[in-house]
Amino acid sequence: MILLDYSKAALTSAELKGYRALPSLGKGNHAKSSFSVAYYSLACDPVRLNVKV
């Protein structure tokens, strides 16, 4: 999943880690393997999270 943020204030680490708890991300074919969340913001360096469900 790729998140593009064009706002002046970037998401915090806690807000990004909240994507691990979304119920809709735990269903489907990816439920058997991990996937990555890439976050790109104008206000900070890129962040990559590995999500294991």
Side-chain angles (χ1 to χ4, degrees):
M1 173 187 301
I2 298 173
L3 303 173
L4 301 173
D5 185 357
Y6 295 106
S7 65
K8 293 181 181 178
L11 294 177
T12 64
S13 295
E15 291 170 325
L16 286 173
K17 289 180 182 176
Y19 280 93
R20 293 180 176 182
L22 291 176
S24 62
L25 295 179
K27 299 176 182 172
N29 292 337
H30 58 270
K32 296 182 180 179
S33 61
S34 61
F35 62 95
S36 296
V37 175
Y39 174 70
Y40 297 94
S41 172
L42 297 176
C44 68
D45 292 332
V47 176
R48 182 176 175 202
L49 297 173
N50 290 321
V51 179
K52 294 182 181 181
V53 288

